Amino acid sequence: MIFKQLFDNKSSTYTYIISSGEGREALVIDPVIENIKSYLNVLKELKLKLVKVIDTHIHADHISGLNELNKQTNCSRVMGSHSSSEVIDIRVKDNEKIKIENIELVSMYTPGHTDCSYSFFMKDRVFTGDALLINGTGRTDFQNGSSYDAYNSLFKKILKLPEKTLVFPAHDYNGKKYSTIENEIINNPRLQVSSADEYAEIMKNLKLSHPAMMDVAVPANKKGLTLKDIVK
Ligand code: FE
């Protein structure tokens, strides 16, 4: 299997390129618009044909590369059915299969960070978007976020995956690349709670400032802007 994890320095976003092998079909998760060239270079070098691109949720801190990749490669744009994006080709519901050749991802509706957040489970790993981060969890204070929904998504869905499952989030701000479900259950400070109310209390008291890009990124991601639109 080909598995590439690429990092965007500006927004600390992780983007994933997945394929069963050189010369085969590929899938991209959570691309950042400014890095399109480097994704296309990786795809070209490995002779991969990009067929699907997934955004785990409507991002508030960067403009997604989903639409530009669609424009340049004609790949299908995939998001969860709760997404308010206007440019999605395939909307998956909870527990649906997304296939490229012999690779299979299963969608998991994991709202809380936003009301459109999905995670994607693939054999030994899960792409959690911002639902579960390494030693953290996604904020729940905008885009119809809900700390109670987040608690349920975490404790009733994501953390129920096999404990050795690798966790690949959409962001990391401390140089960590991945974790495991087991490691997060034991060490993630946000998960050391015994009730949804306790979790909500932690989230209420975070007092985070809004992402600098939010007013630009959210509408851009809903409309599916391309590079041409943003350099105008
Ligand atoms: Fe996010």
Side-chain angles (χ1 to χ4, degrees), residues 57 59 113 130:
H57 60 291
H59 296 284
H113 170 58
D130 296 355

